[in-house]
């Protein structure tokens, strides 16, 4: 069926929507021209979402994932993850029929169903399923979403029954059983530190503080383990509030812990000062120890273990958004004036991850060469030529555009979107690529394509009034949760 039409805002409504930060830097004519160009792009992204959603509905409805090339369903935790993760994006795009189809399915099916579902990542289930259910409930107030969220959270709580409060890493959402994952003997920082937004949302909606208390205990154990440090090693002990090893990363295994220090402070009406202070300390240490620049002019955030390694994950491209959010939400006298220009520089590096790739799509991570000239200072390593449809670079561009209004960010985003359209579109959705240098489909589509990548593209191109970051905070899966009145 044809999508319901989204009428473009009038020029007068647009002018009223621009903040002073936009109008002080750009003329009315520039901002109007940028929006009119982007109106068409927003429609293209909406159609990409409809193609993705209807492909899933046609061949994999009720399953966790769809294989977008072969059209086969794929399951892991058996919680209809793609359906749930896409809900808030459908809502923001005005695709209410599709949204309501999902609500009806939840009412009829009442997941998670009893019986064994298998042991799967508590972290992924939290950000993708619990976060999306709470977001859908806040957006629509349809009780099916809150009922499902509470059932799911109740099956997750037993994982927190540990000596130090940091949860076991895997849970069976059918039985409530939990266990440690086998690939590491330690707790992963990002997994134990990316719980507060979702669990507090459940407690606030239900009045039952058990969920918030569990997440708070886990975060407090990390802060205790960190001691006087802002940057925390990515591994922690399962038994005590102590860190393990020296590896520091704001990419995989570290990233969203830092994001949630800031975002939970924002979510709770800026009341938890200790979290904000911990975030500031981490940013100071990141700037001092890990931010580097190549001779060719690319700024990136390195890793250390304990010597510095000149690599940056695409996952690390969330950092500019976090820096911009800090610059715009912290008290003025606590804002480091270096955050905003640093955010812009890292965003440019993340854009170059796409622009310099033969397909126009980024690899999973890059190696940086400090002494190399422009064009040779960033290379794709042998073990990471793939693209999983990840959102972090377009997330950075969204925050930069939201806060600055600079029309260049929309053009950067459209270059990236056009590359996804050209190389990833398949019969039943959009496929990850095995190698961005010679694009070929992997026949995989992660649910964050719907939850994050397409949402950020749409919000960049749609008028600024489509979504307010003064009223909502996005979890690490880009699921909107309301900011509380302090």
């Amino acid at each position: 069926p044809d999508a319901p039409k989204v009428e473009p805002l009038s020029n007068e409504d647009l002018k009223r929507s621009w903040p002073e930060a936009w109008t002080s830097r750009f003329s009315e004519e520039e901002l109007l021209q940028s929006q009119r160009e982007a109106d068409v792009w927003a429609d293209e992204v909406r159609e990409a979402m409809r193609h993705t959603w209807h492909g899933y509905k046609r061949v994999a409805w009720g399953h966790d994932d769809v294989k977008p090339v072969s059209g086969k369903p794929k399951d892991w935790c058996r919680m209809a993850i793609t359906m749930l993760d896409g809900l808030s994006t459908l809502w923001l795009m005005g695709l209410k029929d599709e949204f309501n189809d999902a609500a009806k399915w939840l009412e009829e099916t009442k997941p998670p169903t009893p019986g064994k579902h298998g042991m799967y990542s508590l972290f992924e289930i939290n950000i993708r399923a619990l976060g999306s259910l709470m977001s859908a409930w806040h957006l629509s107030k349809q009780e099916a979403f809150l009922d499902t969220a509470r059932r799911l959270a109740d099956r997750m709580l037993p994982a927190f029954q540990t000596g130090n409060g940091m949860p076991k890493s895997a849970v069976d959402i059918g039985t409530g059983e939990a266990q440690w994952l086998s690939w590491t003997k330690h707790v992963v920082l990002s997994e134990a530190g990316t719980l507060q937004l979702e669990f507090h949302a459940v407690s606030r909606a239900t009045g039952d503080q058990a969920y918030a208390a569990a997440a708070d205990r886990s975060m407090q154990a990390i802060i205790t383990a960190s001691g006087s440090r802002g940057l925390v090693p990515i591994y922690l002990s399962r038994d005590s509030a102590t860190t393990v090893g020296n590896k520091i990363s704001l990419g995989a295994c570290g990233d969203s812990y830092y994001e949630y220090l800031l975002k939970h402070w924002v979510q709770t009406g800026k009341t938890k000062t200790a979290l904000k202070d911990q975030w500031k300390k981490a940013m100071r240490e990141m700037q001092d120890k890990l931010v580097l620049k190549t001779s060719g002019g690319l700024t990136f955030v390195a890793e250390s273990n304990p010597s510095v390694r000149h690599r940056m994950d695409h996952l690390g491209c969330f950092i500019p958004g976090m820096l911009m959010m800090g610059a715009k939400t912290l008290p003025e006298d606590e804002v480091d004036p270096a955050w905003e220009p640093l955010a812009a520089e890292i965003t440019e590096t993340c854009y170059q991850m796409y622009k310099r790739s033969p397909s126009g799509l980024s690899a999973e991570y890059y190696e940086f060469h400090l002494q190399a000239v422009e064009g040779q200072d960033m290379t794709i390593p042998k073990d990471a030529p793939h693209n999983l449809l990840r959102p972090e670079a377009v997330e950075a561009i969204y925050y930069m555009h939201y806060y600055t209004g600079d029309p260049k960010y929309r053009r950067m985003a459209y270059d990236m979107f056009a590359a996804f359209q050209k190389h990833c579109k398949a019969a039943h959705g959009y496929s990850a690529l095995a190698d961005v240098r010679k694009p070929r489909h992997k026949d995989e589509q992660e649910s964050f394509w719907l939850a994050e990548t397409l949402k950020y593209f749409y919000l960049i191109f749609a008028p600024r009034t489509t979504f307010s970051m003064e009223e909502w905070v996005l979890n690490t899966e880009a699921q909107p949760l309301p900011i509380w009145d302090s």
Side-chain angles (χ1 to χ4, degrees), residues 107 137 140-148:
E107 280 172 16
W137 179 70
S140 72
K141 287 295 184 271
Q142 294 185 36
E143 287 304 316
F145 298 118
L146 183 57
D147 293 345
T148 308

Side-chain angles (χ1 to χ4, degrees), residues 12 77-78 85 93 130 150 258 281 313 350 417 442:
E12 291 311 308
C77 68
R78 298 196 356 250
D85 229 358
M93 290 180 176
L130 193 62
R150 186 162 198 169
Y258 301 100
K281 195 194 301 182
D313 292 346
C350 292
F417 178 70
K442 275 168 68 83

Side-chain angles (χ1 to χ4, degrees), residues 71-91:
K72 292 175 181 164
K74 182 183 170 192
D75 282 304
W76 46 288
C77 68
R78 298 196 356 250
M79 191 65 204
I81 292 292
T82 293
M83 186 191 305
L84 300 187
D85 229 358
L87 287 166
S88 59
T89 304
L90 293 171
W91 184 273

Side-chain angles (χ1 to χ4, degrees), residues 292-323:
L292 299 170
K293 193 171 199 167
T294 68
S295 298
L298 292 180
T299 301
F300 67 101
V301 181
E303 295 179 352
S304 65
N305 188 22
S307 58
V308 174
R309 184 179 175 192
H310 301 152
R311 67 164 267 179
M312 180 172 160
D313 292 346
H314 185 281
L315 286 163
C317 289
F318 86 97
I319 294 167
M322 176 175 67
L323 287 169

Side-chain angles (χ1 to χ4, degrees), residues 4 18 28 94 104 123 154 231 245 259 261 301 317 454:
W18 299 328
E28 252 182 36
K104 187 170 175 231
F123 165 81
D154 286 341
L231 294 176
E259 181 185 351
L261 288 173
V301 181
C317 289
L454 288 174

Side-chain angles (χ1 to χ4, degrees), residues 359-399:
S359 59
L361 290 168
S362 173
E364 179 71 356
Y365 78 87
Y366 283 82
E367 297 279 5
F368 290 83
H369 312 286
L370 292 186
Q371 306 310 320
V373 296
E374 185 179 347
Q376 294 169 27
D377 46 355
M378 177 172 75
T379 53
I380 297 172
K382 288 191 180 74
D383 64 344
H386 51 285
N387 180 293
L388 302 181
L389 312 174
R390 286 200 190 278
E392 291 78 20
V394 68
E395 174 183 353
I397 291 171
Y398 168 63
Y399 279 85

Side-chain angles (χ1 to χ4, degrees), residues 53 56 61-64 80-87 102 105-106:
W53 183 263
Y56 167 72
W61 190 239
H63 292 277
D64 286 327
I81 292 292
T82 293
M83 186 191 305
L84 300 187
D85 229 358
L87 287 166
W105 184 88
L106 285 175

